[in-house]
């Protein structure tokens, strides 16, 4: 598991994401996006420390169904899922502190 370095070449289906067990960090963005690039160190620090989490980087854009299903408006948006259900989201994190509250919610959801 751990931190995904690259965006997926093909976005997963909504049903595939919803069916993933456990903790999933679903990151929406684009490789050329400056905000997305700036967020990578904080995301890497937060997700690399989690052996129990899956990190999916989804290249988002106009008309992409997965991003629209999660109502993504700004990049990067990180949606934290637990057993397919959204428990928290963070928009444009810049530091690990920006992710702390969302990660606490992620951990608070019972298994």
């Amino acid at each position: 598991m751990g931190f995904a370095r690259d965006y997926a070449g093909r976005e997963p289906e909504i049903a595939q994401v919803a069916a993933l067990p456990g903790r999933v960090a679903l990151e929406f963005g684009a490789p050329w996006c400056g905000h997305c690039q700036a967020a990578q160190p904080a995301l890497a620090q937060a997700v690399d420390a989690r052996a129990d989490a899956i990190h999916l980087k989804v290249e988002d854009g106009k008309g992409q169904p997965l991003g629209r299903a999660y109502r993504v408006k700004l990049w990067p948006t990180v949606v934290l899922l637990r057993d397919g259900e959204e428990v928290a989201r963070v928009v444009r994190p810049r530091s690990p502190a920006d992710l702390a509250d969302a990660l606490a919610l992620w951990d608070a959801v019972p298994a």
Side-chain angles (χ1 to χ4, degrees), residues 11-94:
E11 78 173 24
E13 298 287 327
I14 296 166
Q16 289 174 309
V17 173
L20 290 171
R23 292 177 178 92
V24 176
L26 186 57
E27 177 187 347
F28 292 93
W32 49 263
C33 168
H35 294 288
C36 300
Q37 293 167 4
Q40 294 312 296
L43 290 169
Q45 184 177 345
V47 178
D48 268 348
R50 306 298 305 249
D52 63 340
I54 297 169
H55 179 221
L56 298 176
K57 288 179 80 162
V58 177
E59 187 169 349
D60 194 33
K62 186 175 182 173
Q64 295 294 89
L66 193 60
R68 302 308 61 78
Y70 284 97
R71 301 169 317 282
V72 172
K73 301 217 186 276
L74 296 172
W75 297 333
T77 293
V78 181
V79 179
L80 300 176
L81 305 172
R82 180 74 182 261
D83 296 324
E85 296 293 322
E86 181 176 340
V87 296
R89 76 173 47 210
V90 180
V91 178
R92 292 191 174 167
R94 296 285 304 214

